[in-house]
Each structure stands twice: as C-alpha cells, then as structure tokens.
Amino acid sequence: MSAQMYVFSESQRKQLMLNPRLGAGNYLRLARPLYDESCEPSVFTNTETTLCKGESVKELTVHDLYKITGRVAVWYKRQGVECCDTVGVYCDDGLNYIIHFTALTSIGAVPVLTNGMMPPHIAAAHFKNVKAKMVVSDGARIKHLVPLLKNDIKVVNLAKQKFPDEALSDEEYFEHVGNSPIMITHSSGTTGVPKAVVLHHEQWFFGIRDLLKKPHAQGIERYLNALPSSHNSSIAFVIHCILSGSSVLIPSSRDGQTVSNLIESYQPSTVSAFPSTYVDLALNFCDKKEFSSVNTWINSGDAAHERHVRELVKHGHHYRGNTEIKGSQFVDGLGSSEMGHISFRVIHTPYTTNYRRCVGFPQEWVDFKIFGKDGKELAHGETGMLGIKSPSITPGYWNNSNLTYKSRIKGYWLTGDMVYTDRNGRVYHVDRITDVIETKDGPCYSLLTEESVLANNSYLEECTVVGCLDEKSRDLSIPVAYVVPESGCELPEESILAEINEKLVKDGLMEMGHLFRVNHDDIPKGITGKVLKRELRDRFAETAKTDSAAKATADPR
C-alpha cells in the first residue's frame, strides 16, 4: 500500500482552479490530464472491493479510476438510466461509492449515496421518497431490500453483474452547469425517513475550490479518510485529494482497531473522521499504537470533546512556518450535509486552551446570525439557533419543499444547532436544537454539559446527557447522565452524581437529576456514530414506568 508523492505544483492547482467549468460533477475528467499515464496508485482501500462479477480492486491510479467509472457509466446507460434519474447506491464501505458517484454524474444522473449500515427498511423508505429509478447494492442487505421495494424499484446485485469493456466516449459525458444536481445525501434517519439533502455541481464544490486557492496545507501528502465512504464529506475529501495530487486511503471499517492499524501501516500525514472514531482512538489506542506520522486530524460534524482531542494531539508533529513542533494539530469543524462544507473551524494543538465547545470563527465566505425562537437576532453571549448564508449551502431537500422553506429564516439557513458567540466573535456549539432539555430552571444544553463532565472528571471516558420527563411537571424534563467510568473505577452512582454536580455548579451549569453507570456498548449509536439520545430517553421512561409499577405493587394503598 505504498504511494508515490505526487502533490501538484501551485501552477497545476491554479490551472484547475481557474477552470470555470470545474465542479463536483466533472472533477475527474478535468484532473486526469494532469497525471502521467505511468503514475502510481493513489486511491486505496484496505480490503478488496467487489466491483462486479469476477472483478475486484484494492488500489487505483487516477487513470484506472477514470477507466472503471467510464465503464460503469456505459453499464448504467444500458440499464436505461438517463440524465436527472435518481439512482440509489447502498454498499459496503470501500471504493464503490466514489466509483458510482463519478460514473453516475458522468451521464448526468443523480447518485443517492446511502450508508450501507442504514437499516434496510429505512433505506427502502428513503429510496421511495426520492423516487429512485434503481438501486445498486451488495452483500446481505440485498435479500432484505428486495421484498421491501417489491416491484416499485429495481434492486441490482453488483456481484452478479458484468461491466462492459468499453468506456464512455468524450462526446457522451454530460456537461454540467452550476445548478446541476450531482448528489442526494441523507441525514441519519434515526427518527424516520432520512432528510434527502440535495447538492449541486457548483454549490457543493465551493469549499473544495476555496481549498485549491490556498497554499498547500500541512499533511496534504497522504490522507487516511475514515469518514463513512458514502457520506458527502468523504466524497469531498477524495475529490480534494485527486485535485491536489495527494494519495488517499478509504478504510472498509471505521472502528478504532482498524483505523489505528492503518495509521501505523499507511503512515498518513492527515486523518479525517467523525467524532466517534476519534473517541475510540483516544480511549483505546493512543498509547498502544504509533501515530508519529500524523500532523493533522480533521473532525467533521459536531465539535469534539477536549478530553479526547488532548489525547490525540500528544502524538505526531506539526509545523509553524518551517519549524517542526512536537504534537499534532486537530482541526475541529462544524459542518453538515446541508452546509455543504465545514463552515466554522478551530485548530487545537497541545498548547491551546480554546475548548468548552468552541468551533472558532466562520470561514471568510460564511455569514451567520443567531436567532431566538421568535426569529429576532440575538446579541453576543446569548444562546440561540444558528443561521448561515454561504455559497456552499444546499438548495434544499429533494421532494420536500415544506422542509426546505421551514429551514430558512430571513434568508439564513437554520442548521439545527444551538450556539453563542463570545465578545471576540468566536462561536461555541452547545447543543442540537432537538436535544436541548427544557427544565423548570431553564434550558440545559446537553453537549455543553457533557463537555464539562468529561473535562472535569478524568476518570470518566464517555458521558451522554439527555432530557427525561419530569413526573412532577409533565411539560418539562430533568437532565439525566449516562456515564462510562474508566476500567477499575469502583465509585457508586451516587458518589459520581454528587461529584459531577458539584463541579457542574462551579462551572455555572445545571445539575443532573439522575445518573447511570453504563458500558460503552450500552450507549446506542447511529450509523455515523452519533448517540441516539431518543433511545436513551425511551429507556429511562420505561425504567421509570417499571419502578412505578413495582412501588404500586409493594404498597397497594
């Protein structure tokens, strides 16, 4: 799994960046001429990806990728797929997502890239919602998907197909314009049919184009892209690598064991992942594995916790100018599929202290405001709903104009996040709107509370705070903490709760009403590693109901 360093020169990057036609739908066609025919492989995975019957791949040169995507595009055309048709892609992690994304956009179709870990019944509802013309899939998920879709949508097993030898001709490539749809991505789908987020050729590419304008970032040589390979952020990283001459490894699994092994063997200079992978690395592998090659960790999604970031930045190195500094840097970004690109970011090193859910400043092309529930703009220090204006913002949700328009206020896109700014203009991400706990004493922000608990109680490895119904006031909730102590900790729940609450009060935050000691596996997580707080709320409600019934039985009065 070796890779020749082939990072593009500034003139090569400028040649791409100045091309007004370059976008997400034609990136490969325009980048390929910059690569020699004899170039080394630069797109890897750690296990073989089955492309079709009798054909699998583990590494690709850019020219290989161009050829295989051209063949797959021809196959799609022979299946009757046309411009603007939506096509589901529902596979294992690996190389299939970038291949099918590129093949489908080559003919103007719209790939519906869907996480292979999504439960089949939710995936089927998603494909019906976007009116997919067909779905390509692999593995055991096919036998579950076929009866769910019945005769409505054709499901194709890639392992039983044979791609043609001929590839798409130059004349057959679709010519995209700025607002050509090039992908439908999705929300987690933990509470029903996933939101179908639309991405456009120019809009979604804006953040990548912005990176091309800038000098080479640290760690551009070798990426380990441990994001879900179906996710638009993962596709964006691969596109960025190809447009920069970098090499990129896409793991077939994102657990800490797999990723830590690959950091040792592949020796990446940059690692990109969601917080759940970083938590696993920080808690279980930082002191067991060799991470000296890493100079940059990139986090996308919710802000990471200080407890876990500090463990990671102890390792590796970074640069200030030409001076090598011990310890890596952690780029913490706030973004989402709807934002199209990381819109706020802060950089942590072993020597920085700007935590407490700080996500830094907006990108220079992002305008933001903070709104109250009444739609009025809030001042510095006041917590409210984040709204942003940006060239990278999604145009909306496929087949859902109602949700599209409800997500805007005064021209700003509501991200679903609760934030505030300090007097210096730095942004702090304290919660998701749906997770704010409304108590008798006011709102409790669960993510900010979790940050404080983990930062001030070093014997705790993980903490999740949810709001559960207050039986005394049926309209309000009480904060409940689920905590995972480190191995060997024998403190009972009552002692942990008392210690946590004492420190929360000192931190100016709300006390917890209940606390439960649990194991890591007891905290339910979704397909991207986010905690399923709704399930914990339901679990608490069921426990409370059982306890109430037991008390009634013991005391019939």
Side-chain angles (χ1 to χ4, degrees):
M1 201 185 295
S2 62
Q4 180 183 14
M5 297 303 179
Y6 192 69
V7 175
F8 285 164
S9 66
E10 293 297 331
S11 62
Q12 287 173 310
R13 281 157 58 93
K14 189 174 182 180
Q15 179 181 339
L16 286 168
M17 184 264 294
L18 292 177
N19 188 330
R21 295 189 300 114
L22 177 65
N26 59 15
Y27 78 97
L28 183 60
R29 188 182 178 197
L30 297 181
R32 181 182 64 103
L34 297 181
Y35 285 85
D36 295 332
E37 287 286 350
S38 59
C39 66
E40 295 288 327
S42 58
V43 182
F44 304 91
T45 187
N46 57 312
T47 58
E48 295 279 343
T49 295
T50 298
L51 301 179
C52 61
K53 185 177 181 180
E55 194 170 351
S56 61
V57 67
K58 195 173 180 180
E59 60 182 38
L60 294 166
T61 68
V62 169
H63 290 281
D64 291 335
L65 181 61
Y66 184 76
K67 290 172 186 175
I68 185 61
T69 56
R71 292 172 54 209
V72 177
V74 169
W75 177 81
Y76 272 120
K77 292 188 73 172
R78 292 178 182 177
Q79 301 297 310
V81 175
E82 299 175 340
C83 168
C84 288
D85 282 341
T86 55
V87 176
V89 183
Y90 183 47
C91 297
D92 291 330
D93 276 319
L95 300 180
N96 266 326
Y97 284 105
I98 186 64
I99 288 171
H100 286 267
F101 166 81
T102 309
L104 286 163
T105 54
S106 295
I107 58 175
V110 185
V112 186
L113 303 187
T114 306
N115 193 307
M117 294 179 68
M118 181 180 288
H121 70 282
I122 296 178
H126 179 50
F127 296 136
K128 290 179 181 179
N129 177 48
V130 301
K131 293 183 168 49
K133 185 165 190 174
M134 63 183 289
V135 176
V136 297
S137 189
D138 59 13
R141 59 183 62 84
I142 293 172
K143 68 179 181 181
H144 300 292
L145 192 62
V146 170
L148 290 166
L149 294 177
K150 298 180 180 177
N151 297 322
D152 298 331
I153 301 172
K154 179 172 70 172
V155 180
V156 177
N157 185 345
L158 289 174
K160 295 183 178 180
Q161 302 301 305
K162 190 71 176 175
F163 295 145
D165 292 330
E166 60 269 34
L168 208 63
S169 66
D170 289 342
E171 296 76 23
E172 293 177 292
Y173 275 88
F174 183 80
E175 292 297 332
H176 295 83
V177 296
N179 63 354
S180 297
I182 50 84
M183 188 197 300
I184 296 173
T185 186
H186 61 79
S187 61
S188 59
T190 56
T191 57
V193 179
K195 291 182 287 187
V197 183
V198 182
L199 302 178
H200 281 175
H201 173 69
E202 191 173 274
Q203 157 261 327
W204 183 53
F205 191 73
F206 184 89
I208 302 173
R209 182 182 287 277
D210 182 66
L211 289 173
L212 291 176
K213 297 177 184 177
K214 297 177 179 177
H216 286 308
Q218 295 180 30
I220 197 173
E221 299 85 7
R222 297 163 76 89
Y223 280 79
L224 174 57
N225 177 20
L227 295 159
S229 57
S230 61
H231 200 277
N232 60 286
S233 59
S234 176
I235 300 293
F237 270 109
V238 177
I239 292 175
H240 172 62
C241 287
I242 289 172
L243 293 176
S244 300
S246 313
S247 67
V248 57
L249 172 63
I250 305 168
S252 59
S253 177
R254 304 179 301 279
D255 62 279
Q257 182 71 65
T258 299
V259 173
S260 63
N261 287 341
L262 290 173
I263 292 174
E264 281 196 329
S265 61
Y266 181 63
Q267 295 286 291
S269 42
T270 292
V271 177
S272 58
F274 282 151
S276 59
T277 298
Y278 288 131
V279 171
D280 199 355
L281 289 176
L283 295 180
N284 301 311
F285 299 99
C286 270
D287 296 328
K288 301 175 184 176
K289 296 289 186 177
E290 178 58 59
F291 294 167
S292 60
S293 69
V294 179
N295 61 49
T296 303
W297 313 86
I298 299 178
N299 179 51
S300 183
D302 291 339
H305 288 301
E306 175 182 358
R307 165 79 193 278
H308 307 127
V309 173
R310 287 199 179 278
E311 288 298 320
L312 292 167
V313 297
K314 290 178 183 177
H315 302 267
H317 61 281
H318 68 285
Y319 294 90
R320 290 180 185 170
N322 294 322
T323 303
E324 183 176 311
I325 307 294
K326 184 179 180 181
S328 50
Q329 58 182 4
F330 190 98
V331 180
D332 205 358
L334 180 63
S336 66
S337 298
E338 288 89 341
M339 293 187 210
H341 194 78
I342 291 175
S343 297
F344 300 81
R345 69 171 196 164
V346 64
I347 299 177
H348 300 296
T349 71
Y351 319 104
T352 55
T353 58
N354 50 338
Y355 287 99
R356 200 175 165 84
R357 306 295 298 169
C358 178
V359 292
F361 297 99
Q363 303 270 23
E364 59 186 16
W365 34 269
V366 172
D367 176 27
F368 78 96
K369 291 185 184 298
I370 301 173
F371 297 98
K373 290 181 180 179
D374 58 2
K376 293 181 179 179
E377 185 179 346
L378 302 181
H380 290 314
E382 295 183 292
T383 300
M385 302 181 295
L386 174 64
I388 69 173
K389 284 182 180 178
S390 160
S392 69
I393 288 288
T394 177
Y397 298 104
W398 195 271
N399 285 344
N400 198 337
S401 57
N402 180 51
L403 184 58
T404 296
Y405 287 107
K406 279 188 173 182
S407 299
R408 291 193 175 99
I409 184 169
K410 298 180 180 179
Y412 288 80
W413 183 272
L414 294 175
T415 68
D417 300 292
M418 298 294 288
V419 303
Y420 71 91
T421 56
D422 64 16
R423 60 186 178 184
N424 295 314
R426 287 175 294 205
V427 177
Y428 292 77
H429 178 222
V430 298
D431 220 342
R432 294 288 294 169
I433 292 174
T434 52
D435 293 327
V436 176
I437 304 165
E438 298 295 345
T439 78
K440 62 182 179 60
D441 298 316
C444 171
Y445 301 112
S446 65
L447 290 178
L448 181 60
T449 303
E450 292 162 9
E451 176 72 18
S452 175
V453 169
L454 290 172
N456 293 319
N457 301 274
S458 59
Y459 61 90
L460 297 179
E461 295 185 343
E462 192 171 356
C463 172
T464 297
V465 174
V466 297
C468 299
L469 191 65
D470 185 349
E471 292 184 0
K472 296 179 181 178
S473 174
R474 305 298 292 180
D475 296 327
L476 297 172
S477 297
I478 52 175
V480 176
Y482 290 83
V483 299
V484 182
E486 63 185 6
S487 177
C489 173
E490 297 181 357
L491 285 174
E493 290 177 347
E494 296 80 6
S495 299
I496 298 175
L497 178 60
E499 188 169 335
I500 281 178
N501 280 340
E502 180 183 353
K503 293 175 180 177
L504 283 172
V505 170
K506 288 181 180 178
D507 224 1
L509 299 175
M510 200 169 293
E511 292 181 288
M512 298 293 97
H514 296 281
L515 179 140
F516 297 96
R517 276 185 64 133
V518 295
N519 297 316
H520 288 290
D521 292 341
D522 295 325
I523 298 180
K525 295 183 173 67
I527 56 178
T528 60
K530 287 188 177 181
V531 174
L532 304 179
K533 295 193 173 185
R534 177 178 54 82
E535 290 192 15
L536 287 175
R537 289 192 286 266
D538 293 344
R539 185 186 302 175
F540 180 86
E542 189 62 34
T543 301
K545 187 187 301 182
T546 302
D547 290 346
S548 179
K551 288 179 182 177
T553 302
D555 184 4
R557 292 175 298 172

